[in-house]
Amino acid sequence: MEPIIEVENLTVVYNLGKTNEFTALANNSLSIYKGEYIIIFGPSGCGKSTLLYSMAGLQKPTNGKIKVANRILSELSPKELVKFHQDVTGMIFQAYYLIPSLSVLDNVCLSLIFKNIKVKERSQRAKELLKQFGIEQCTYRLPLSLSGGQQQRVAIVRALMTDPPIIFADEPVGNLDSKSAEVTMELLDELNKKYNKTIILVTHDPSYLSKADRIFHMRDGRIERVAVNESGKKIAPMSKESPVSDILSSLAQRYPTSSEIELKSKALVNWLVTVLDEPRIARIEEIIKKRIKGEYTQDTLHENLNLSFEKGGAGLYAQRATEFTKKIEFVLMEAGNLHKTIKPTVSMTEDDLKAVEIRKTLLDRYHGELTLDQINRLDRFIRLRIENMINRAQFLKYLDLPFKAGGVGLNHRTAHNFTNLIEIILINI
Amino acid sequence: MIDSKHVILVVEDEPSILDAIVIKLTRKGFVVLEAKNGQEGLDIALQKHPDLILLDIIMPIMDGLTVIKKLKEDEWGKTVPVLLLTNLSDSESISESAKVDRSDFLIKSDWTLEEVTTKINQKLNII
């Protein structure tokens, strides 16, 4: 399936060449597919709105290419760009931007006026939509006489008048009370699920993240990571380069403002830890974060895990500190080995080789014996997991399933251990 | 660990099985040659004269039974020990047509790597 939006190496620099030059977006690439509900999430100033407006054709890139609905935006003439906005995009802004001197009806009909649609036809369409969104009683009123929630609903109707396939929404509920915000978000949800509109929404509020199919987490002008909502629609093909770890996705939903390194650290701690108190867990996370970043060596890692809590360490007994260090180093080493350049051959692709390496790692820790056919089948499922063709739960199921039923036929405990280990290795690659 | 370096040729088109066997046998101290199809296997066998051949039956370009037939046309090839790997259910008739001892027929779904290694040691009279 071709994406409806493709962004390649997008950079936007404001005030280029001047003393107040500012890079709002730095070399970002992404693909969005028809019918997806995408949320662009991050702190203020991270470039979310710049990215949104760039895709909507309202912000010119400094570098890079943007293709929307088969149109390369930089190649459009001014007239073609207008047509693009009329036919392809619907915009919803935080501040509504309704024209205060025009009635609600005239506000929503504006786009069709410029398309030379006759009065009767555009009025009929407007009234149908206003009714559908529960604000037909506002048809002839001026915008400022409406509540914030009503105004935003008018803005949504305006965005839909030309029946665009893509809706761009920049903090659409930022100015609304919680009830109106809920109604607005439900409307957007309906547009996506019932009318198959592609929704791209910018927000800094983590409470809405569960609405999206995918979330682009941004920080400092870059898309830091892309999280897949496990309960969302799976329209986008899974990335071959970075398999989505279910552990990382579910952690990202619980800690949406955490960076990727913080999430990896949490995942490692969860894997290691049985019963530890919260402050100690937080301390271990901090220590592991420094190891992942390379600020600590293996020895410093061990030292700090063992150092007393009062002195800034994790306060683990020496034996436990050694055990944790070994396990952390093992995962990071295996992930590092897999990250090294693996030269694909004619018969074995890079993913094949990764699967073989991971299988070797798993079997080295497994003292049982698998038959040749079990090894072959295990490789196949590992490759499917690396390529994200199966998720974590499916991988576990296949490892556990008897061989004759199409699985690998591992015992239940080994299947669980293998699954957890492969997930931890994959998120650290 | 084996003191003398016996040379084993593994002829197998499934990359994961080939890789697993090669790694296992190398760790056990064998010198391991590998081939991904029957033709390649035959060429390496006639050139390098390994001490034993571990040979898959179903392979592209040249299948295992044809490899055995062609090996038997060579003086050295008539005597080299061969262990056959297969998933074929009709192993009895195949071992008969290949003129291979039934016990040298290893069904992939039954044999573990360790058992394959033990079988190789037995075949080469290695203790």
Side-chain angles (χ1 to χ4, degrees), chain A residues 369-413:
Chain A
E369 278 287 337
L370 301 185
T371 66
L372 298 179
D373 269 354
Q374 282 179 307
I375 289 169
N376 194 23
R377 202 167 277 178
L378 178 61
D379 264 345
R380 200 181 321 147
F381 289 127
I382 291 171
R383 194 165 59 246
L384 288 175
R385 185 70 194 101
I386 288 173
E387 290 172 358
N388 241 344
M389 304 297 281
I390 56 175
N391 61 25
R392 180 180 180 274
Q394 288 166 319
F395 181 73
L396 172 60
K397 184 184 107 177
Y398 286 125
L399 259 57
D400 199 25
L401 202 61
F403 189 82
K404 284 194 175 138
V408 178
L410 299 181
N411 76 50
H412 194 62
R413 190 176 168 171

Side-chain angles (χ1 to χ4, degrees), chain A residues 80-255:
Chain A
E80 286 168 335
L81 193 59
V82 167
K83 191 130 186 7
F84 166 75
H85 287 137
Q86 284 177 341
D87 295 343
V88 178
T89 69
M91 282 298 310
I92 304 168
F93 301 95
Q94 182 175 351
Y96 332 129
Y97 290 134
L98 300 175
I99 298 173
S101 54
L102 297 180
S103 66
V104 163
L105 180 66
D106 287 339
N107 261 288
V108 303
C109 285
L110 264 179
S111 52
L112 293 189
I113 293 171
F114 293 114
K115 284 190 87 166
N116 295 322
I117 306 294
K118 291 197 172 73
V119 173
K120 194 176 171 188
E121 196 183 321
R122 63 182 189 243
S123 293
Q124 190 180 345
R125 175 153 172 80
K127 286 173 182 173
E128 279 167 10
L129 279 172
L130 288 168
K131 188 174 177 187
Q132 191 181 329
F133 284 83
I135 43 171
E136 69 271 31
Q137 72 279 16
C138 306
T139 305
Y140 297 104
R141 287 167 61 181
L142 292 177
L144 290 177
S145 68
L146 309 182
S147 69
Q150 287 173 323
Q151 288 187 67
Q152 194 60 294
R153 270 187 276 171
V154 172
I156 293 174
V157 167
R158 180 183 59 189
L160 291 175
M161 281 292 283
T162 54
D163 195 24
I166 307 172
I167 305 286
F168 294 94
D170 186 11
E171 305 268 15
V173 300
N175 287 355
L176 303 180
D177 58 85
S178 54
K179 180 87 173 78
S180 301
E182 199 185 311
V183 168
T184 302
M185 292 305 286
E186 272 171 24
L187 286 174
L188 289 171
D189 213 31
E190 191 181 319
L191 288 177
N192 176 247
K193 293 198 169 59
K194 201 168 158 186
Y195 298 99
N196 202 35
K197 299 288 182 205
T198 306
I199 305 282
I200 300 153
L201 187 146
V202 157
T203 184
H204 65 275
D205 188 339
S207 57
Y208 300 121
L209 296 184
S210 59
K211 302 265 180 217
D213 296 323
R214 286 191 294 153
I215 304 143
F216 294 135
H217 289 261
M218 289 194 69
R219 196 183 287 263
D220 299 328
R222 288 179 197 275
I223 297 172
E224 206 181 33
R225 61 188 162 81
V226 181
V228 174
N229 192 343
E230 285 304 306
S231 55
K233 303 186 290 305
K234 304 287 189 293
I235 298 173
M238 296 294 189
S239 163
K240 285 192 176 207
E241 291 163 9
S242 52
V244 173
S245 160
D246 293 355
I247 293 175
L248 209 54
S249 289
S250 70
L251 278 174
Q253 286 180 18
R254 276 160 52 199
Y255 305 101

Side-chain angles (χ1 to χ4, degrees), chain A residues 32-46:
Chain A
I32 295 173
Y33 295 81
K34 188 167 164 36
E36 279 201 285
Y37 191 142
I38 299 290
I39 287 184
I40 305 171
F41 176 80
S44 293
C46 70

Side-chain angles (χ1 to χ4, degrees), chain B residues 57 63-66 68-69 72 84 88 90-101 105:
Chain B
I57 290 189
D63 64 80
L65 296 184
T66 308
I68 289 176
K69 193 174 153 197
K72 287 185 170 105
L84 285 171
L88 295 173
D90 194 11
S91 52
E92 197 159 315
S93 62
I94 291 170
S95 68
E96 217 176 276
S97 75
K99 300 202 176 15
V100 170
D101 199 298
F105 217 80

